[in-house]
Amino acid sequence: MPFHQAGMAAAANNAFRQLGAALGPAVLGALLSARAVDALPGHLTAAGLDGATVRRVTEAADAGGLSAVGGLRMGADTPRVLGALSQAFVDGLQLCLVVAAALTVLAAAVGFVLLRRPQQAALPSAGPAVSVQGPRTPGLPTADTRTAARPQSAASHR
């Protein structure tokens, strides 16, 4: 990265980092919730709950999310409902982790392909001197002209 573009590169890196930090948890959380709500009726039925209870719990999950199911008063069915809710959450979590792992592998592959290794330049044995001042902008004074044009102070005339 050329020195004069380092600021732009840092800004772009920061923008993508913030975008990922905002969208990553939101998208993965939406996937987790959607998968868990989708799997919930099957787990409720497998737990041996009747159709009316399954409908009541499913409607609560559709309307208020998974946390709404935890607040339902189900009487004697509460342990089975909460067990089915836990299994549905695990299903959603598994999907979330698989997607996150796939995105991580994809990002690693893209990084491996796109990031270039710095080339090792051969050191010149007796070549011309290299400037460490960076690129020159036409019309702006250089370090040499600034020091040469500076007026001498009164203290240096003594």
Side-chain angles (χ1 to χ4, degrees):
M1 173 72 41
F3 179 74
H4 67 280
Q5 291 180 338
M8 289 186 297
N13 183 44
N14 191 37
F16 282 114
R17 184 180 56 83
Q18 288 183 1
L19 184 67
L23 288 180
V27 169
L28 292 176
L31 284 174
L32 185 149
S33 182
R35 175 67 180 126
V37 168
D38 186 50
L40 185 59
H43 288 298
L44 291 168
T45 303
L49 296 167
D50 60 18
T53 304
V54 171
R55 265 190 314 280
R56 181 177 170 207
V57 171
T58 304
E59 288 172 0
D62 287 339
L66 297 176
S67 61
V69 175
L72 291 177
R73 303 276 188 245
M74 302 303 298
D77 291 334
T78 299
R80 290 189 291 170
V81 169
L82 293 179
L85 178 65
S86 295
Q87 290 174 344
F89 181 81
V90 168
D91 287 350
L93 188 61
Q94 285 176 339
L95 174 66
C96 183
L97 292 175
V98 167
V99 169
L103 289 174
T104 301
V105 168
L106 177 67
V110 168
F112 181 76
V113 170
L114 294 181
L115 293 178
R116 290 176 257 149
R117 291 187 183 131
Q119 296 179 356
Q120 298 291 334
L123 294 175
S125 57
V130 178
S131 171
V132 294
Q133 294 178 353
R136 295 180 186 233
T137 305
L140 292 178
T142 62
D144 298 337
T145 59
R146 284 192 305 259
T147 55
R150 185 179 300 155
Q152 293 182 351
S153 66
S156 64
H157 290 305
R158 291 186 208 167

